[in-house]
Amino acid sequence: MQQADNLGAIPGVDHGFCTINDPLRPQAVFICKQVHSASVVEWQADLASNTVEADGVCTGEHPPIAVVTADCLPLLIASKNGEKVAAVHGGWKGLQGGIIANAIKRFTDEGIATDQLQVAVGPSIKPCCYEVSREFIARFQEDQGHLWRDRQPPWSRVQPAPLLPPDIAPPAARQAGSAWFDLSGYGVMLLQAAGIRREQIEVSEVCTYCTSPTFASYRRRTHHPQEVKTLIYSWIARITD
């Protein structure tokens, strides 16, 4: 199980990024029925896991909350005083739809300022392995280009090298005119647009596709269908008052 230094430094908060069958993960965990939406809900005692359609959950109570991913961006958020936490599933649809701003608003609506938050972005597919089409980039630029007007967009035309030494070979380009998309970089841009400073954000360098075969990767499994299906489990909990 992996942990982020910035969340690990917050008293009264525990968290982890792990495989779904990791024996160290909490057992009674609340998870939404994830549908690639921008919806973030508040945990309530009468809500059953996998029944509420949303892609983010927050709480000021004690039950552990989580999201599951297999290439998408898992984000864990906590206030520095440990009084409120959130778990967010960020696929590009939910990110584009505003799920990060919606999650941050859950904190600010309760008087927790953005400078009082810490965010950990867990393992996800990195640009070394995330090829997208020319059409995808054109649509994305038209809708989201304001975010990178004065800086590098979250993709490159040349396939970048992995951030960590790969255990699995990154995929070769499979279409003409494609680009290599930086999902976590896009997530950081959205966090900054929501008022979070870069020094408040910790980003895992783990690529779910190439870093290790133990990480869940939907795209890798489409390329290697013999692989057993698994998921990454990203959880966070308040453990003291």
Side-chain angles (χ1 to χ4, degrees), residues 125-133 171-181 219 223:
I125 195 166
K126 299 299 181 185
C128 52
C129 299
Y130 192 9
E131 183 187 18
V132 294
S133 69
R174 297 186 172 219
Q175 51 190 314
S178 61
W180 300 88
F181 193 75
R219 179 159 296 207
H223 295 169

Side-chain angles (χ1 to χ4, degrees), residues 23-217:
L24 296 179
R25 74 170 178 83
Q27 294 304 307
V29 178
F30 179 84
I31 299 177
C32 295
K33 183 179 180 181
Q34 297 174 192
V35 290
H36 290 271
S37 69
S39 178
V40 180
V41 299
E42 186 82 22
W43 176 86
Q44 298 177 31
D46 60 348
L47 296 179
S49 280
N50 294 303
T51 62
V52 181
E53 290 192 353
D55 286 82
V57 57
C58 58
T59 187
E61 303 298 329
H62 286 293
I65 55 177
V67 291
V68 292
T69 56
D71 278 339
C72 291
L73 214 60
L75 299 100
L76 300 178
I77 308 170
S79 59
K80 291 181 181 178
N81 60 11
E83 292 184 357
K84 192 174 185 69
V85 296
V88 176
H89 163 240
W92 69 263
K93 289 181 181 179
L95 294 174
Q96 187 176 8
I99 193 168
I100 283 180
N102 293 344
I104 300 302
K105 189 174 185 295
R106 289 281 182 170
F107 289 85
T108 58
D109 282 352
E110 295 187 15
I112 303 172
T114 55
D115 65 0
Q116 295 303 304
L117 301 180
Q118 291 290 328
V119 183
V121 180
S124 67
I125 195 166
K126 299 299 181 185
C128 52
C129 299
Y130 192 9
E131 183 187 18
V132 294
S133 69
R134 178 178 8 214
E135 293 74 21
F136 175 95
I137 290 299
R139 292 192 303 269
F140 221 74
Q141 175 64 37
E142 183 177 359
D143 186 72
Q144 300 281 283
H146 60 280
L147 291 170
W148 47 83
R149 184 173 295 114
D150 299 319
R151 51 181 166 171
Q152 178 69 29
W155 65 78
S156 61
R157 297 294 179 181
V158 177
Q159 183 176 12
L163 297 173
L164 299 174
D167 281 353
I168 300 165
R174 297 186 172 219
Q175 51 190 314
S178 61
W180 300 88
F181 193 75
D182 185 356
L183 189 64
S184 55
Y186 174 48
V188 168
M189 288 180 178
L190 292 171
L191 285 164
Q192 292 176 311
I196 308 299
R197 299 188 308 275
R198 182 62 184 86
E199 56 266 30
Q200 296 170 251
I201 308 165
E202 185 171 329
V203 182
S204 171
E205 293 188 337
V206 168
C207 175
T208 46
Y209 189 112
C210 72
T211 299
S212 169
T214 61
F215 291 106
S217 173

Side-chain angles (χ1 to χ4, degrees), residues 1-2 17-27 233 235:
M1 181 166 63
Q2 295 189 352
F17 301 99
C18 58
T19 60
I20 199 166
N21 57 354
D22 192 310
L24 296 179
R25 74 170 178 83
Q27 294 304 307
Y233 194 99
W235 62 273

